[in-house]
Amino acid sequence: MSTELPPVAPEVLAEAVESLTARLRKKLDDATAGCADAATRETDGSVTFRFGEDAVVTLRPGPAGTVTEAGQATCTCLLAPRCLHRAAALGAAPLADAAPPEPEPVPESAGSAADGTERAPAAASAEAEAEAEGASDEPAESVPALTAAQLGAAAALWHAAAEALAAGVTAGGAVVQAELLRAAHTARLAGLPRAEAAALRVVRGLRAARERRTAHRLGDLTGSFRELLHTAGVLASGTAGPALTGTSRRAYTPGGSLQVQGLCREPVLSATGYGGVVTHLLAPDGSRYSISDVRPGGLARARGAGRASVALGGATLDHAGLARGGLRIVGATVSPEGRLGAGRGVKATPLPGAAWTDGPAAPLFARPAAEAVAELLAAPAEAAETETALIGCDVTVVGAAGDHLLVREAVPHAPLLRLLPAHPHPELPHTENLRRIASYPGLRLRVLGRPDLDRAATLRPVAVGPVPGAQYTLRLPEDWLGRADLGYDRLQGEHFPAPAAATEAAGEAGPVPAADAPDPLADAPLWRVRRLLETGVAGGRRAVAEAARGTAAQAAYGPLRRAGLTAAADLATALAAEADRRPRDAFGRLADPSPDGYAWAWLAAATHLAAAERSLVAASWTATPNGATPAAS
């Protein structure tokens, strides 16, 4: 069993790799492979790596458990600290978050930076970021000019990202990653935290792909590259606004007196070792708030935090009680995205809870889901992906289909919806609860979830409850107040109606085979563009050029033109041509070695694909007269 290694600050690793000679850099990937298996945890908390008889690398993390300084990584060989052993040991360790989330906000000033979730670790809506920067009262056209340092940092990050994209996963080893980390650190020092976060996501994705981790998805890495190139490119142009510059800390402002009701709670589990819970709250006017408790601890903490005490103004509730209760808060402090702070002047008094059918939660289920999703898709991408983007709907269970649960919304001519676990970790009860629900076709269900805007008509439920007035629906305990948090509560047989009523209800549901559930994303020929982009991420520029040679490109993009997707076909063709453009001088040397042209072509195709897929996702939620999902045109 390998020893758990302490996280290493990105700038420490970048500096170690940069100090190596060109000859040692070529050996770095091989030296790093298997390095973690040879690590040993010492009694003083340090971790040692033995390279032969004369070289021992020691990592001594600081009080926070992270290696944040170069002096905390030492080697006994004669070349230290510019040695291969030290760089390999640092490269084998996980990357630390550049700005780890704080457990509590600083009273009356600033709060925790990020909740550690995988969905949006360093992004908030454009309005929230502008407010955090103190520019929310400025006119929209009044965008602060970027400084020379910021422009230089963005340009350096763009170049590093373009080089990494041209290399792809196959050639994106430790040296390429170190260039990205150095550029990310420069962006951080220049005050561009969102650009830094995007670069760190790409580096983590490259690591996961090269190590062939089971959780790696090439599509996720492709999206990370698109975000990084877009962010760096726009910043380098000098036209970016506060939404792209971002803020490393989100300011908490006085919120006066508030009265909030619990909506639900869900576990938080990040890829960087943070775990905890976030409890969603609603005010009487429908405003959304949340209280999060996320700290280092991973899965164990995510599972236990559901019943942790709420650290807010002396409240005596835990998160389980708050999710089904309420609070009256005096002297509240609120972040731009609605997170409540725990300042010293905050006082909180528990209130009785309310069912979803009463109070501020009722309007969430009063309109079709398609309308709520349309609002999210019309908003800026960052706003649509925040943790508060929850919608509600009443559905009828159709049955399981592959890895998802098919349901139909209880509105006329509604399309089939797919329910996927909000978090797929097997130690969390999301998947088990959905599997049990799937065994009751015809069950009426009230669902509160987060739309998956990357999939057709897909909802990731965080809580469910009975449909008011329905006979064949959930039977939950009274103290649950009519809802079950799927990440913490485990549904049992006693929570479902008697089997005697199942036959009639299943007939009303009208079970539909999975093949009859249309998926415009899968049916559209846009998958050809997606495959080309992912080929570039996996194999680099050379792989795209190889795919473009001969007549294969014409055959691949013909279906796109016949489907009316001419812009996608043109952009894919331009990308393939740019990938294969390698002009040389009379001596056979590359006349234009810069990867900029290829990166811009790749980004143009990726941006168009994302917009096209977003429109197809919107169409998949739209009801039609015959109940079918509109096909892509």
Side-chain angles (χ1 to χ4, degrees):
M1 182 176 179
S2 60
T3 300
E4 183 177 354
L5 304 182
V8 172
E11 61 271 19
V12 174
L13 174 58
E15 182 181 359
V17 175
E18 287 181 353
S19 67
L20 298 178
T21 63
R23 181 179 63 86
L24 292 179
R25 290 187 184 188
K26 294 179 181 179
K27 300 180 179 181
L28 182 55
D29 288 331
D30 292 337
T32 303
C35 194
D37 295 332
T40 302
R41 173 76 63 175
E42 305 296 339
T43 56
D44 61 354
S46 63
V47 177
T48 59
F49 305 77
R50 182 169 295 278
F51 295 85
E53 297 182 358
D54 300 327
V56 177
V57 177
T58 303
L59 301 183
R60 294 184 175 86
T66 302
V67 176
T68 58
E69 299 178 1
Q72 294 173 337
T74 59
C75 181
T76 59
C77 78
L78 296 178
L79 293 179
R82 300 179 178 180
C83 63
L84 180 65
H85 316 115
R86 180 172 175 271
L90 289 171
L95 282 178
D97 288 330
E102 300 176 10
E104 294 184 7
V106 177
E108 301 185 15
S109 59
S112 58
D115 62 5
T117 63
E118 295 177 311
R119 291 184 299 275
S125 67
E127 292 181 2
E129 296 289 5
E131 184 177 351
E133 293 288 345
S136 58
D137 294 330
E138 295 293 328
E141 65 273 7
S142 178
V143 178
L146 297 181
T147 65
Q150 289 177 321
L151 292 174
L157 187 56
W158 164 267
H159 179 73
E163 291 283 2
L165 178 67
V169 171
T170 54
V175 175
V176 171
Q177 295 170 25
E179 294 294 334
L180 271 174
L181 293 177
R182 169 59 68 189
H185 181 59
T186 304
R188 178 188 182 186
L189 297 179
L192 301 175
R194 179 170 174 179
E196 179 204 20
L200 293 183
R201 281 194 290 275
V202 168
V203 173
R204 291 191 176 103
L206 287 172
R207 282 187 165 196
R210 291 178 61 84
E211 295 170 8
R212 299 182 180 180
R213 300 176 192 169
T214 55
H216 164 69
R217 290 182 65 249
L218 187 57
D220 293 339
L221 181 54
T222 302
S224 297
F225 262 112
R226 183 186 70 243
E227 180 185 356
L228 173 58
L229 288 169
H230 168 74
T231 303
V234 176
L235 286 171
S237 70
T239 60
L244 276 184
T245 55
T247 178
S248 57
R249 296 178 65 88
R250 300 172 184 175
Y252 280 66
T253 58
S257 297
L258 292 175
Q259 181 173 317
V260 294
Q261 290 287 335
L263 185 61
C264 65
R265 60 186 164 143
E266 61 174 318
V268 174
L269 182 61
S270 80
T272 54
Y274 286 85
V277 63
V278 56
T279 298
H280 301 280
L281 309 165
L282 282 176
D285 62 356
S287 299
R288 304 190 182 196
Y289 299 93
S290 66
I291 295 178
S292 61
D293 182 4
V294 181
R295 305 169 190 261
L299 176 64
R301 194 172 195 287
R303 297 174 62 181
R307 291 197 171 274
S309 299
V310 176
L312 182 70
T316 57
L317 288 174
D318 58 16
H319 281 270
L322 179 58
R324 296 183 173 94
L327 285 176
R328 180 178 289 112
I329 307 172
V330 178
T333 57
V334 187
S335 75
E337 64 273 22
R339 192 169 293 125
L340 296 176
R344 284 176 292 183
V346 178
K347 303 297 181 183
T349 304
L351 294 175
W356 280 353
T357 53
D358 305 319
L364 292 176
F365 306 93
R367 61 173 178 169
E371 293 184 9
V373 173
E375 287 187 4
L376 294 176
L377 291 170
E382 297 85 359
E385 295 173 357
T386 59
E387 64 183 29
T388 54
L390 298 174
I391 67 171
C393 59
D394 293 344
V395 301
T396 300
V397 174
V398 174
D403 62 346
H404 54 263
L405 170 64
L406 286 179
V407 300
R408 192 181 297 277
E409 190 178 1
V411 296
H413 311 301
L416 284 172
L417 305 182
R418 299 164 178 82
L419 302 187
L420 287 176
H423 201 296
H425 198 288
E427 296 297 324
L428 297 175
H430 294 96
T431 301
E432 179 185 344
N433 282 331
L434 288 185
R435 187 180 296 118
R436 185 175 289 271
I437 292 172
S439 62
Y440 289 84
L443 183 74
R444 298 292 304 281
L445 199 65
R446 175 157 283 188
V447 177
L448 183 71
R450 185 174 291 103
D452 189 334
L453 301 181
D454 294 327
R455 297 173 181 261
T458 299
L459 191 66
R460 295 186 180 271
V462 298
V464 296
V467 175
Q471 295 298 318
Y472 193 62
T473 188
L474 292 176
R475 305 285 191 264
L476 300 180
E478 291 186 6
D479 58 347
W480 286 18
L481 281 183
R483 67 259 204 180
D485 298 326
L486 295 179
Y488 288 106
D489 300 322
R490 294 186 181 271
L491 295 174
Q492 307 294 336
E494 61 188 15
H495 299 144
F496 292 88
T503 303
E504 181 180 354
E508 295 176 357
V512 178
D516 291 342
D519 187 342
L521 284 181
D523 297 340
L526 287 171
W527 63 267
R528 300 171 185 272
V529 182
R530 190 183 313 113
R531 184 172 64 180
L532 181 67
L533 295 171
E534 293 180 354
T535 296
V537 171
R541 178 174 183 167
R542 180 177 298 180
V544 175
E546 290 292 338
R549 295 193 177 108
T551 59
Q554 298 177 0
Y557 307 137
L560 287 169
R561 300 187 188 280
R562 289 192 293 272
L565 299 170
T566 55
D570 291 342
L571 290 170
T573 302
L575 171 60
E578 181 62 31
D580 202 27
R581 188 184 68 83
R582 306 286 281 180
R584 297 182 181 272
D585 61 18
F587 299 98
R589 297 171 301 192
L590 286 176
D592 182 17
S594 172
D596 286 359
Y598 171 74
W600 281 119
W602 188 94
L603 178 59
T607 302
H608 180 274
L609 176 65
E613 290 183 336
R614 198 175 183 88
S615 67
L616 289 175
V617 169
S620 69
W621 286 85
T622 305
T624 58
N626 60 359
T629 303
S633 59

